[in-house]
Amino acid sequence: MEKIKVRDSVGAILIHDMTQIIPGVIKGPRFRKGHVISEEDIPVLLSMGKEHIYVWDQKPGLIHENEAAERLAHAVSGSGLILDEPKEGKITLMAAHDGLLYSSVDGILALNTLEGVILSTLHNHYPVKKGAKVAGTRVVPLMIDEKVILEAEEIVQTFTTPILEVKPLKHAKVGITITGSEVFHGRIQDKFGPVLRSKVENWGSTVLEQTYASDDVSLIQGSIRDQLAKGAEMILVSGGMSVDPDDVTPTAIKEMGAELITYGAPVLPGAMFLLAYMGDVPIMGLPGCVMYSKTTAFDLVAPRLLTGERLTRHDIVKLGSGGLCLDCPVCTYPHCSFGK
């Protein structure tokens, strides 16, 4: 450390908190450790009775924690993120809009293996609202060797996608086909459609059309083709997903020429989930649990599709780790372990 005159301290870095006492008004830290003294601070320091102060003895090659945190934050930030001002050496990254957080687990690990570097984030594919905190970054020491930050910036450049990015959900036109002879013939009231419509609208999309089909392959296929012809950008087919011989939804989707990605997902609830594509249009076969469970495989997959991501079977298989819903009495998703 170095003792210098306050009048000569502009640009210097404090090595400890400095307390200001104004009787009856304030008693507490006026300047925090790591604060970079500005011209405006000089009168305040003098009013606090400080003629001399102790500051960090800067050496070539060292940079302040605020600068280091800012450089790290800028390096890892892709689209959809805004950065807060540095506070005590920490930068907070927030969502610029509603969407899904895409984070590189490998990238985060690579950066955190560097001595003195910290990057803490929400889980990958975490749904966030505009202004939500998604990550924080800082360095441990007050001053850090710039070589460490340069190495961090080089690591980021080795990845083809951003370390952190918030992708907005597309405003898609969604077709819904409700299957089941009991609903088709009006024997029971449709309870599936309202649930799906609510979820679709909550994600910012619109229901293009909702139709009904009995447990008949040709009727289900006809409904899907009609919705495609009308411009559907996503299609949801409810029910008929079990191994019961009367449940023909998977057969209908497969036999109409769709590219089947998976029939089955390692997620509970939602094990009988189906994903297929007709060209670029995703088609999802939804098991009955989507109607009565608050959160299922559908809630983990659909938002990712709405960002424009094209999922593979491998993507679905990876959902097994964290794919068990604990069926809490009060659902707090996404603030829980499900889908993490």
Side-chain angles (χ1 to χ4, degrees), residues 265-271 295-298 300 316-327 333 336-340:
V267 179
L268 295 171
T295 313
T296 69
F298 177 50
L300 302 183
I316 303 299
V317 169
K318 287 172 66 177
L319 295 176
S321 178
L324 178 64
C325 175
L326 296 179
D327 195 24
Y333 179 82
C336 65
S337 63
F338 188 57
K340 310 300 188 302

Side-chain angles (χ1 to χ4, degrees), residues 88-105:
E88 299 179 352
K90 183 181 74 173
I91 299 286
T92 298
L93 289 75
M94 298 168 291
H97 48 68
D98 294 359
L100 283 189
L101 174 66
Y102 278 71
S103 61
S104 168
V105 175

Side-chain angles (χ1 to χ4, degrees), residues 112-132:
N112 282 319
T113 56
L114 297 176
E115 190 68 32
V117 170
I118 291 176
L119 174 60
S120 180
T121 79
L122 297 179
H123 285 284
N124 192 20
H125 303 132
Y126 202 100
V128 295
K129 294 293 185 180
K130 180 180 179 179

